C-alpha cells in the first residue's frame, strides 16, 4: 500500500462512528483511538491512549484474566471473537460484539492487535424479549393436550412435538422428531404422495386444510382435522410448516350415523306418496320435509325445517301446550296417535290423522320422533254429513223418502266403504260404490243379501262379529284386521255403530270400512327401522336386549334357562381390507342368512356391530344343548362363501353364557358371553367356550395387571436382564447376551415376562415395551467393553406397526451402537401372519445391518420354506428338544436334522436351555456352535452380567 492510500485508510477508520476501532500494542495498551471508540466508550484519545484495554472490562472479568485470554487466543489463532458486557467511562454497561485480530510484521513477529467493538445493547434486548416470547409460546403449545401441534421443516420432517401430539398419535418426542410426517398417513396415501402434495398446497397458498384418516403408532386409525400453515420469515423466506391435528373420530362417527339415518328416511319417504312424513328432533323441531308434507301443509323445506312442529296446531292448543303433551305421550309409550284439526301455511284448517313414533338409537337413547300426518278432511266431512242426515231423517219422518234419496247420494260419495245392515236379519240394505271395489261384487248382488251369502267366510265372520259387538253396547266400535279381499290381502279398519229406527223394534247397523294397508305399512317400516339392522335386517342391539329381557323373565317363571351367545367372525377384517366394504357387506348378509337358518323360529339372532352377532336361546335345558347349537353355527359358517366370484372363507368364534350361572340381567349376560368369546378367540378361534366364574376372576386380574403395567412403564419399574450366549468353538468366550425383560412390581415383587407380555400384546402396550427394550438394550450394550452382541425379542404384533424399522433405526442412532452388534429374534408366527409384508420388514431390518434370528425353531409351524424365503443369520433350537433329547429319539433326531441343515445353509445354530455338562457335550458332538442356558449363567442386570465363564468345557 502506498503512502497516500495509507493516509486515506487512516482517515476512513478515524471517521467511523458506529464502531470502536483502535490498535493495541503487544502488551494490550491502547495505541490509537477513533471517533467510534470515543462515542461508544466515552473516553477521548488523550484519556485512553497508553492505558491498558482491560479498563473496559468489569472488575470480576479482570480478576478472572478474561482480557489477557482474549489477547492470547488472538496471538495463537490469529483472531478472537466474543460478546459480553463492557463498561464506559461513566461506569454504564453495554453489550458489545468484539473482534481482536493479531497484527504481525513481514517476518511474522507480533507488532500489536486491531480491536473492533460494536455496541449491540439494543439488539441484545430485542433478542432477549424474542427468546422470552418464544419460551412462553413454547410452554403454551407444549401444554395443549386436545390438539397435536408441531413444526415441520422444509422437507416435512418433524421438528418438535407437544403433549397433544403424543396423546393423539402415541409417539413420544424421541420416537418421532426427525421422522417424516408422512408416517401418519396410510400406505396408499404415501404411495400416491398425498403428504408431499399437501405440503405443496400449503407452500403455494399459505395454508392446507383437510379431514381424513390418519394413523397412530399402534396402527389404529382416527379421523383427523388437519391444518398445515406455511411459516415464513420477515423477508418472505419459507422456514417451515406449523401443523395442527385434532382427533375428530367421534364427531365423524356421529356424522356418519346421522347420514345413514337420513338415507334410511329418504328410502322410506320415496316409498310412501300419500302421507306427510318427516322427522322431529328431541325438542320437537322439524329436521326434514318430504314432498307429501309440502303438498299437505303448503310449506317448502326451507321455510319449515328448524321450526317447532307446534306451528301446525291452533293458537289455543299451543297455549295449552298440547304439542308438547303429545310428544311426552310418544316418549312414554313409544307412540302417539290421534285425529284433530291442523293448520296449513295459508291458515286453512284440515282434519288430520296423526302418528308420532319415538325413535331411539342402538344404545336406547332418544334421537327424535317420526311423524306421519294424513289429510282425512274429506272422509270426516262425509261422515259428518252422514250423521247429520241420519239425525235429520229421524227428526223429520215425513221427509224420509227425500232424505233417504239424499242419504243414498251422500253414502255413494263417501271415500270409505259403507255397509248398512238390518240389525235383526243382518240383511244388507245399503252399500256404496267403494264397497263394490273392495268386495269385487256389484252393489245389486250385495243388497238384500246376508254377508255370508255374498262374501267370503273370512269377511262375513269379521263383519258379523263387529255387528254383534255394536248391538251389545252403544257407541262406536272399531276393529282392524288383515283380510283377503278382491284386491288381495288388505288391512281393514272398520267402525261399527247402531242406528235407531222409527221405533225400538227397528234398528240398523252401519259399518264404515277403510283400507289402511299403506298407512300401516309406513308405520311398520318406521318401527322396523328403529329395531333392526339396516344391512342384514336382523334385530339390532335395542330389539336384542328386549328379547333377552323377555326370555329371562319368562324362563325364570318357568324354571328353564336362557342362553346368550356372542359371535365374532374370524378373518373378516382381512376380507374387508383386501376386497373392500361392498364385498364385506355382501359377505355379512350371506353369513347372517346361514346363521338364521340354523336356529329355531323363536330364537333371536341380532347384529350388534361390525362382524359381531349375538343370539338369545330361550328355554334351554342344559349347557350341552347350547354347545350343540354353537357347534352347528360354526359348521354352518365353515364352507366358503362365493361373493362376486370370490370364494371367501371365514371362521366363527362363539362365547356362551347361561342364566343359571350368573346374575340374570341382559347387561351381565352379554358381558359374560363376551368374556367367553374372548377366551374362544384366545384358545385358537373357530371354536366355542362356556363362561365360567374363573373367567371373570381372570378378567379382573388382567385388568389390574394392565393398569399396573401402565404405571410400570411410566415409573421405570421395568428392567432388562442379560443372559450370556457362548461360543462352543472358543470355550470361556461370551460372544453376546439375550435381553430379557423383568418387572419389579412395588408390591408383588419380581414378575416374569410370561405373566405380563401376553397382556401387553392384548392391550397394545407391547409397542411401547418393545421400543423401550430396543432403546435400553442398545444403550447398555454401548457400555460393554468386549463389544459383544445384544439380542432383543420382537413380538409378532410389533410387525403390525409400520414404524418398527424406524424404531430400530432410531435406537441404533441414538445409542451409537454398531448395527452388526444388534440381533433381533422373531418367532415363526411372524411368517404365518402377512408373511409377504413381514418378509419386507425383515429385509428392511437386514439393510440396516442388524442380525436376524429365528427363535423356537422346530415347534408349531416350522417349515423349510421360511429358510428359503429369508436368509436368517441364526436358528435357535427350542429348549423343549434339549430337555427331551436324553430320553427321546425323536427329539435327538430333530436336533440332528436342524444342525445338518444349518451346515448346508451356512446358518449358525444356538441351543437354548442348556442346563448341565452332559447336554453341552452331547450338543457339541451334534454340531451346535452357540449355547445358552443356566449351565453358563442366569440372566442378570447389565452391571452384574456374567463377563467370563467359570464352568469347564
Amino acid at each position: 500500500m502506498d503512502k497516500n492510500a495509507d493516509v486515506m485508510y487512516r482517515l476512513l477508520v478515524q471517521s467511523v462512528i458506529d464502531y470502536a476501532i483502535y490498535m493495541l500494542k503487544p502488551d494490550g495498551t491502547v495505541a490509537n483511538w477513533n471517533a467510534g471508540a470515543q462515542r461508544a466508550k466515552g473516553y477521548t484519545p488523550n484519556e485512553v491512549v497508553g492505558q491498558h484495554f482491560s479498563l473496559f472490562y468489569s472488575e470480576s472479568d479482570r480478576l478472572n484474566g478474561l482480557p489477557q485470554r482474549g489477547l492470547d487466543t488472538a496471538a495463537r489463532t490469529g483472531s478472537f471473537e466474543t460478546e459480553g458486557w463492557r463498561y464506559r467511562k461513566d461506569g454504564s454497561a453495554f453489550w458489545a460484539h468484539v473482534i481482536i485480530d493479531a497484527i504481525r510484521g513481514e517476518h511474522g513477529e507480533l507488532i500489536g492487535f486491531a480491536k473492533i467493538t460494536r455496541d449491540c445493547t439494543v439488539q441484545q434486548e430485542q433478542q432477549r424479549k424474542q427468546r422470552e416470547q418464544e419460551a412462553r409460546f413454547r410452554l403454551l403449545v407444549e401444554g395443549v393436550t386436545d390438539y397435536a401441534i408441531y413444526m415441520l421443516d422444509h422437507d416435512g420432517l418433524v421438528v418438535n412435538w407437544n403433549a397433544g401430539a403424543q396423546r393423539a398419535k402415541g409417539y413420544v418426542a424421541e420416537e418421532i422428531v426427525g421422522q417424516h410426517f408422512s408416517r401418519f398417513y396410510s400406505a396408499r396415501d404415501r404411495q400416491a404422495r398425498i403428504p408431499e402434495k399437501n405440503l405443496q398446497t400449503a407452500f403455494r397458498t399459505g395454508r392446507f386444510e383437510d379431514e381424513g384418516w390418519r394413523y397412530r403408532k399402534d396402527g389404529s386409525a382416527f379421523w383427523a382435522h388437519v391444518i398445515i400453515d406455511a411459516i415464513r420469515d420477515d423477508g418472505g423466506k419459507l422456514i417451515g410448516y406449523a401443523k395442527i391435528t385434532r382427533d375428530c373420530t367421534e364427531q365423524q362417527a356421529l356424522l356418519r350415523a346421522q347420514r345413514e339415518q337420513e338415507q334410511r328416511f329418504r328410502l322410506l319417504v320415496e316409498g310412501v306418496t300419500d302421507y306427510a312424513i318427516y322427522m322431529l328432533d328431541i325438542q320437537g323441531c322439524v329436521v326434514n320435509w318430504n314432498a307429501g308434507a309440502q303438498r299437505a301443509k303448503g310449506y317448502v323445506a326451507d321455510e319449515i325445517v328448524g321450526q317447532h312442529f307446534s306451528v301446525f296446531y291452533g293458537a289455543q292448543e299451543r297455549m295449552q301446550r298440547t304439542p308438547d303433551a303429545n310428544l311426552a305421550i310418544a316418549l312414554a309409550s313409544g307412540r302417539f296417535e290421534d285425529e284433530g284439526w291442523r293448520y296449513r301455511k295459508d291458515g286453512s284448517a284440515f282434519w288430520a290423522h296423526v302418528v308420532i313414533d319415538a325413535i331411539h338409537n342402538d344404545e336406547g337413547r332418544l334421537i327424535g320422533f317420526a311423524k306421519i300426518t294424513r289429510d282425512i278432511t274429506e272422509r270426516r266431512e262425509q261422515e259428518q254429513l252422514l250423521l247429520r242426515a241420519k239425525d235429520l231423517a229421524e227428526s223429520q219422518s215425513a221427509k224420509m223418502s227425500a232424505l233417504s234419496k239424499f242419504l243414498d247420494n251422500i253414502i255413494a260419495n263417501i271415500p270409505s266403504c259403507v255397509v248398512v245392515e238390518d240389525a235383526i236379519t243382518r240383511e244388507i240394505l245399503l252399500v256404496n260404490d267403494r264397497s263394490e271395489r273392495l268386495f269385487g261384487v256389484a252393489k245389486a248382488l250385495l243388497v238384500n243379501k246376508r254377508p255370508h251369502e255374498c262374501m267370503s267366510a273370512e269377511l262375513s265372520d269379521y263383519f258379523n262379529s263387529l255387528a254383534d259387538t255394536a248391538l251389545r253396547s252403544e257407541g262406536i266400535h272399531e276393529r282392524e284386521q288383515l283380510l283377503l279381499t278382491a284386491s288381495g290381502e288388505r288391512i281393514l279398519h272398520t267402525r261399527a255403530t247402531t242406528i235407531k229406527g222409527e221405533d225400538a223394534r227397528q234398528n240398523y247397523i252401519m259399518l264404515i270400512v277403510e283400507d289402511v294397508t299403506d298407512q300401516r305399512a309406513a308405520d311398520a317400516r318406521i318401527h322396523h327401522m328403529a329395531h333392526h339392522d339396516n344391512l342384514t335386517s336382523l334385530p339390532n342391539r335395542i330389539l336384542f336386549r328386549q328379547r333377552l329381557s323377555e326370555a329371562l323373565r319368562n324362563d325364570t317363571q318357568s324354571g328353564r334357562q336362557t342362553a346368550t351367545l356372542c359371535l365374532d367372525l374370524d378373518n373378516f377384517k382381512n376380507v374387508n381390507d383386501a376386497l373392500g366394504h361392498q364385498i364385506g357387506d355382501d359377505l355379512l348378509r350371506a353369513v347372517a342368512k346361514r346363521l338364521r337358518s340354523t336356529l329355531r323360529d323363536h330364537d333371536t339372532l341380532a347384529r350388534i356391530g361390525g362382524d359381531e352377532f349375538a343370539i338369545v336361546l330361550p328355554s334351554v335345558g342344559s349347557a350341552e344343548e347350547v354347545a350343540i347349537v354353537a357347534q352347528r353355527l360354526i359348521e354352518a359358517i365353515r364352507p366358503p362363501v362365493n361373493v362376486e366370484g370370490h370364494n371367501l372363507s371365514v371362521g366363527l368364534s362363539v362365547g356362551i353364557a347361561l342364566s343359571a350361572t350368573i346374575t340374570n340381567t341382559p347387561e351381565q349376560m352379554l358381558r359374560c358371553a363376551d368374556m367367553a368369546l374372548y377366551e374362544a378367540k384366545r384358545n385358537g378361534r373357530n371354536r366355542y367356550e362356556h363362561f365360567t366364574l374363573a373367567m371373570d376372576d381372570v378378567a379382573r386380574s388382567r385388568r389390574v395387571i394392565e393398569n399396573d403395567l401402565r404405571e410400570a412403564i411410566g415409573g421405570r419399574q421395568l428392567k432388562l436382564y442379560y443372559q450370556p450366549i457362548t461360543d462352543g468353538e472358543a470355550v470361556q468366550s461370551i460372544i453376546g447376551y439375550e435381553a430379557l425383560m423383568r418387572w419389579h412390581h412395588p408390591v408383588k415383587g419380581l414378575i416374569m415376562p410370561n405373566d405380563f407380555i401376553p397382556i401387553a400384546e392384548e392391550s397394545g402396550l407391547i409397542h411401547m415395551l418393545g421400543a423401550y427394550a430396543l432403546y435400553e438394550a442398545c444403550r447398555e450394550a454401548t457400555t460393554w467393553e468386549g463389544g459383544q452382541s445384544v439380542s432383543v425379542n420382537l413380538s409378532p404384533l410389533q410387525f403390525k406397526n409400520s414404524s418398527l424399522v424406524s424404531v430400530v433405526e432410531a435406537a441404533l442412532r441414538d445409542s451409537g451402537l454398531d448395527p452388526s452388534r444388534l440381533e433381533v429374534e422373531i418367532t415363526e408366527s411372524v411368517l404365518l401372519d402377512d408373511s409377504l409384508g413381514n418378509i419386507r420388514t425383515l429385509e428392511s431390518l437386514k439393510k440396516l445391518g442388524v442380525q436376524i434370528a429365528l427363535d423356537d425353531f422346530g415347534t408349531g409351524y416350522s417349515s423349510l420354506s421360511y429358510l428359503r424365503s429369508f436368509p436368517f443369520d441364526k436358528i435357535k433350537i427350542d429348549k423343549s428338544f434339549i430337555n427331551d433329547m436324553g430320553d427321546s429319539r425323536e427329539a435327538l433326531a430333530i436336533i440332528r436334522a436342524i444342525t445338518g441343515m444349518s451346515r448346508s445353509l451356512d446358518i449358525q445354530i444356538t441351543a437354548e436351555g442348556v442346563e448341565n455338562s452332559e447336554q453341552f457335550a452331547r450338543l457339541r458332538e451334534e454340531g451346535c456352535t452357540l449355547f445358552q442356558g443356566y449351565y453358563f449363567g442366569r440372566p442378570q442386570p447389565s452391571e452384574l452380567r456374567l463377563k467370563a465363564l467359570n464352568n469347564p468345557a
Side-chain angles (χ1 to χ4, degrees), residues 531-567:
H531 294 85
H532 290 78
D533 170 51
N534 188 47
L535 178 66
T536 62
S537 292
L538 293 175
N540 61 14
R541 187 182 291 270
I542 297 173
L543 185 54
F544 176 82
R545 190 188 181 285
Q546 292 175 3
R547 299 273 179 84
L548 180 54
S549 295
E550 291 171 5
L552 289 171
R553 184 167 55 252
N554 296 335
D555 289 345
T556 299
Q557 295 170 356
S558 64
R560 300 279 287 177
Q561 297 182 72
T562 301
T564 300
L565 284 66
C566 282
L567 289 65

Side-chain angles (χ1 to χ4, degrees), residues 522-634:
D523 295 348
R525 204 172 308 172
I526 289 178
H527 186 270
H528 185 275
M529 285 168 49
H531 294 85
H532 290 78
D533 170 51
N534 188 47
L535 178 66
T536 62
S537 292
L538 293 175
N540 61 14
R541 187 182 291 270
I542 297 173
L543 185 54
F544 176 82
R545 190 188 181 285
Q546 292 175 3
R547 299 273 179 84
L548 180 54
S549 295
E550 291 171 5
L552 289 171
R553 184 167 55 252
N554 296 335
D555 289 345
T556 299
Q557 295 170 356
S558 64
R560 300 279 287 177
Q561 297 182 72
T562 301
T564 300
L565 284 66
C566 282
L567 289 65
D568 187 84
L569 297 182
D570 304 325
N571 197 42
F572 176 74
K573 183 178 183 299
N574 293 338
V575 172
N576 229 17
D577 293 344
L579 301 177
H581 292 287
Q582 182 60 50
I583 298 294
D585 289 349
D586 290 344
L587 175 59
L588 283 175
R589 280 189 282 265
V591 165
K593 186 175 181 180
R594 286 190 185 181
L595 293 174
R596 180 63 263 181
S597 66
T598 308
L599 300 172
R600 302 171 297 183
D601 291 341
H602 61 280
D603 297 334
T604 298
L605 170 66
R607 179 177 177 233
I608 58 177
D611 60 342
E612 299 176 19
F613 297 84
I615 295 174
V616 179
L617 299 180
S619 300
V620 295
S622 65
E624 290 74 16
E625 181 182 337
V626 182
I628 293 172
V629 175
Q631 189 59 46
R632 200 160 59 232
L633 292 166
I634 293 170

